[in-house]
Amino acid sequence: GNPFGLGQTVTSGIISALGRSGLGIEGYEDFIQTDASINPGNSGGALVNLRGELIGINTAILSKSGGNVGIGFAIPINMARQVMNQLVDHGSVERGQLGAQAQDLTPALAAAFGLEKSGGAVVTRIDKGSAAARAGLRIGDVITAINGRQVSNSADLRTRIGLLRVGEKVNIDIVRDGEPKRLGAEVRPPRISRIQGDKLHPRLRGTVLADIVEGMPLYGRVEGVMVLEANRAATRAGLRKGDVITQANRKKVSGLEQLRAHIKRSGPLLLNVQRGDSALFLLLQ
């Protein structure tokens, strides 16, 4: 790598963990964790094993100071290769989706579902008309494998589906009412419903608003409408790119249709906004 601009530098360490996810770095996470020193300038560099084989692409660190503290993350090479192949073959990356939301199958949930083993992902929501709905997936199904590869948790499921190209066939192994089943589905493109803000309210001029859908980092963690773009006028009004509108005029918002229903075309607009780990009210008048 090129840490702090020093030029080519090699560091050594061990693989501390595999399959790290839920870090909030990217929408799809399946990181290799290593204690080999990774510093600013190492991103994009090679993570190799003792045989000189490329096993990952160094990406990020966990650090309060901004320097290495022994917790670094690399994208596994199989994930990087899939992205590379899509770019070479098609010129872009199209991440597929099932249209289902899931949560981790914890030991407590496994006991509640009458299962002997934990691990896997429990389906908690299915989008209407989605690939999951067409495949016959149901709320309460426990997904245990995708194309024969074991699914350990909900983040693992999301990553495995996200790495498939739109249109690919996928086999989904599930447990339903204690019985194993296999379903077939075709991965579909993400549905991103978006709108220019001024079409909803003049005070939202300069924004592009969108439903939070599968593939976005906050999917399944917060309900609301995301501000995808915010120009200078929107920033002056108090809105920023990445904000999530969770309430409008003191009424809960879970998507664009609810936002449209809760605001009027004229008059002031009171928004409750989540920004990072904090929340605030904005009065647009």
Side-chain angles (χ1 to χ4, degrees), residues 24-39:
I25 300 172
E26 296 290 345
Y28 297 91
E29 298 181 342
D30 186 24
F31 289 114
I32 299 170
Q33 181 181 329
T34 178
D35 69 351
S37 296
I38 297 176
N39 285 293

Side-chain angles (χ1 to χ4, degrees), residues 195-266:
I195 193 173
Q196 297 287 336
D198 57 3
K199 292 184 178 180
L200 297 179
H201 196 284
R203 296 292 183 268
L204 294 173
R205 183 175 290 110
T207 65
V208 175
L209 307 175
D211 287 330
I212 298 176
V213 298
E214 190 173 349
M216 292 183 176
L218 294 177
Y219 179 76
R221 288 159 42 189
V222 62
E223 285 191 342
V225 171
M226 178 170 285
V227 180
L228 290 185
E229 298 179 20
N231 67 12
R232 187 174 298 176
T235 302
R236 283 200 299 267
L239 286 169
R240 299 180 186 174
K241 180 179 178 181
D243 284 352
V244 177
I245 300 171
T246 57
Q247 288 186 7
N249 294 331
R250 307 296 296 274
K251 294 181 179 179
K252 184 180 179 181
V253 169
S254 61
L256 284 172
E257 289 306 314
Q258 276 197 329
L259 178 61
R260 188 194 301 272
H262 295 336
I263 63 179
K264 299 177 181 179
R265 284 290 301 169
S266 60

Side-chain angles (χ1 to χ4, degrees), residues 3-284:
F4 298 106
L6 290 174
Q8 291 184 347
T9 300
V10 177
T11 58
S12 65
I14 64 168
I15 299 301
S16 308
L18 297 174
R20 288 294 195 210
S21 60
L23 303 173
I25 300 172
E26 296 290 345
Y28 297 91
E29 298 181 342
D30 186 24
F31 289 114
I32 299 170
Q33 181 181 329
T34 178
D35 69 351
S37 296
I38 297 176
N39 285 293
N42 280 121
S43 295
L47 182 70
V48 299
N49 62 18
L50 290 176
R51 293 186 294 272
E53 297 166 332
L54 181 63
I55 62 171
I57 305 297
N58 298 322
T59 303
I61 58 175
L62 191 64
S63 171
K64 293 183 179 180
S65 65
N68 171 66
V69 294
I71 304 177
F73 302 102
I75 296 171
I77 197 58
N78 61 330
M79 181 184 287
R81 180 178 284 121
Q82 287 176 297
V83 171
M84 178 192 73
N85 290 338
Q86 285 203 38
L87 291 174
V88 170
D89 294 340
H90 307 285
S92 63
V93 176
E94 289 186 339
R95 298 199 184 278
Q97 67 169 205
L98 277 180
Q101 185 175 323
Q103 70 182 81
D104 297 348
L105 181 69
T106 62
L109 277 178
F113 278 83
L115 302 175
E116 295 181 359
K117 296 181 179 180
S118 59
V122 184
V123 177
T124 58
R125 188 179 78 183
I126 296 175
D127 296 338
K128 186 177 180 180
S130 66
R134 291 169 180 261
L137 203 63
R138 300 177 187 174
I139 293 175
D141 286 348
V142 177
I143 298 176
T144 57
I146 295 292
N147 286 339
R149 295 186 61 189
Q150 185 177 352
V151 169
S152 57
N153 52 43
S154 58
D156 191 21
L157 169 65
R158 189 160 168 265
T159 298
R160 293 194 189 285
I161 295 297
L163 288 175
L164 298 175
R165 185 162 180 83
V166 171
E168 281 192 57
K169 305 290 184 180
V170 56
N171 291 319
I172 308 169
D173 291 335
I174 66 169
V175 176
R176 177 183 294 167
D177 298 326
E179 296 293 327
K181 294 180 179 292
R182 173 167 287 183
L183 304 177
E186 181 177 311
V187 178
R188 308 185 72 183
R191 292 182 304 137
I192 301 181
S193 179
R194 64 177 71 192
I195 193 173
Q196 297 287 336
D198 57 3
K199 292 184 178 180
L200 297 179
H201 196 284
R203 296 292 183 268
L204 294 173
R205 183 175 290 110
T207 65
V208 175
L209 307 175
D211 287 330
I212 298 176
V213 298
E214 190 173 349
M216 292 183 176
L218 294 177
Y219 179 76
R221 288 159 42 189
V222 62
E223 285 191 342
V225 171
M226 178 170 285
V227 180
L228 290 185
E229 298 179 20
N231 67 12
R232 187 174 298 176
T235 302
R236 283 200 299 267
L239 286 169
R240 299 180 186 174
K241 180 179 178 181
D243 284 352
V244 177
I245 300 171
T246 57
Q247 288 186 7
N249 294 331
R250 307 296 296 274
K251 294 181 179 179
K252 184 180 179 181
V253 169
S254 61
L256 284 172
E257 289 306 314
Q258 276 197 329
L259 178 61
R260 188 194 301 272
H262 295 336
I263 63 179
K264 299 177 181 179
R265 284 290 301 169
S266 60
L269 181 59
L270 179 64
L271 302 177
N272 187 224
V273 171
Q274 181 170 323
R275 180 175 296 163
D277 295 328
S278 60
L280 66 153
F281 279 104
L282 294 177
L283 181 61
L284 281 59

